[in-house]
Amino acid sequence: MSAALRAVPTLPSSLTKRTLSRGNKKRHHRLRAVAGDFPTPDLDQPGNANYQEAKALSARIAANASGVREPQRVVVVGGGLAGLSFAIALANEVAGLEITVLEAHPFRSGTPNPLDTRASALNLHSVAQLDRWGVWPALLDFAGSIEEIHVSHRGHFGSTLMTASDLGAPALGYVLENHELGRALLARTKELGIQIRAPLRCSNLLVDGAGPGVESEEGEQLRADLVLLAAG
């Protein structure tokens, strides 16, 4: 059996909060989580072909795992937020890797276009990971804290308000402009000795007896033990 969570509104109490909306007072009750059980699906039943295929694939991977050697050369295709994060995570977790990041476009520098200042909201787990990787200290001065999160469904009953003080934390998360996050990730890759090749546009994925790799539009072949695609 597996546990499921459902939200149940708590009836008016000392925890009830009042907010003003269109000149009228509305009650917003905090929610409490109630655990329930639901049956785990039987993977051997007809109609569960996808589950059965995944189960068989997992078994084959586990059976062959003992003969797989650790990768020494890794190529990451894509130098955006995901690709740079992949490279930094690998460099931090596995010593001795030779990591190369390939990006089709040159990395921009200077002030971004004011019409393209997209941002990302980072939860506390993401912030903790960035801190482990040595990236977060460079972002502190640019991060805006999220101190409250209001959860509701328009036209439906019930809502809740989560605050950082409920967790005893300075914030529930942070908001960063993407160009600041990208700048810090790129700087960290260079500190870790990760090779960056940009601009370099890949045209073909190589899968043959020589091992995995990629081929550039100019015909250059780059081989590796592991190729990660993070090209969006």
Side-chain angles (χ1 to χ4, degrees):
M1 304 288 281
S2 301
L5 291 178
R6 57 191 175 91
V8 178
T10 302
L11 295 177
S13 66
S14 59
L15 295 179
T16 300
K17 289 186 174 292
R18 294 176 180 268
T19 60
L20 293 178
S21 176
R22 299 180 181 177
N24 298 318
K25 290 185 177 180
K26 296 180 64 177
R27 291 180 181 270
H28 291 273
H29 308 307
R30 290 183 181 272
L31 300 184
R32 55 189 174 90
V34 179
D37 290 330
F38 60 89
T40 301
D42 185 352
L43 302 185
D44 296 323
Q45 289 294 322
N48 286 332
N50 290 339
Y51 289 106
Q52 294 166 10
E53 183 179 352
K55 181 179 179 181
L57 178 59
S58 297
R60 289 199 301 270
I61 292 174
N64 296 327
S66 59
V68 178
R69 65 185 180 90
E70 290 293 330
Q72 300 300 315
R73 296 173 300 159
V74 178
V75 168
V76 180
V77 182
L81 300 183
L84 293 176
S85 296
F86 260 128
I88 292 170
L90 286 171
N92 275 271
E93 299 296 334
V94 184
L97 284 182
E98 179 185 327
I99 305 171
T100 303
V101 176
L102 310 179
E103 169 56 36
H105 306 284
F107 287 101
R108 298 177 181 178
S109 60
T111 304
N113 185 331
L115 299 180
D116 188 26
T117 52
R118 290 168 291 178
S120 295
L122 305 177
N123 60 27
L124 296 181
H125 177 73
S126 297
V127 171
Q129 287 287 2
L130 290 172
D131 195 36
R132 281 185 56 214
W133 297 342
V135 177
W136 185 247
L139 294 169
L140 280 172
D141 292 339
F142 306 98
S145 61
I146 301 173
E147 298 175 1
E148 294 183 351
I149 298 178
H150 176 258
V151 183
S152 62
H153 189 176
R154 184 176 180 180
H156 292 74
F157 175 75
S159 66
T160 190
L161 179 67
M162 296 179 288
T163 67
S165 59
D166 291 338
L167 299 179
L172 295 172
Y174 295 86
V175 175
L176 276 164
E177 291 187 1
N178 287 354
H179 73 95
E180 295 291 357
L181 181 55
R183 175 191 55 78
L185 290 171
L186 181 60
R188 185 60 177 149
T189 60
K190 295 177 179 178
E191 293 173 358
L192 293 170
I194 297 169
Q195 184 181 12
I196 303 290
R197 296 192 59 180
L200 191 147
R201 190 179 295 273
C202 297
S203 61
N204 192 26
L205 180 64
L206 304 174
V207 183
D208 52 36
V214 294
E215 184 176 12
S216 72
E217 288 185 341
E218 292 74 24
E220 179 185 3
Q221 294 188 357
L222 296 96
R223 297 287 180 170
D225 300 302
L226 178 66
V227 175
L228 293 172
L229 301 181

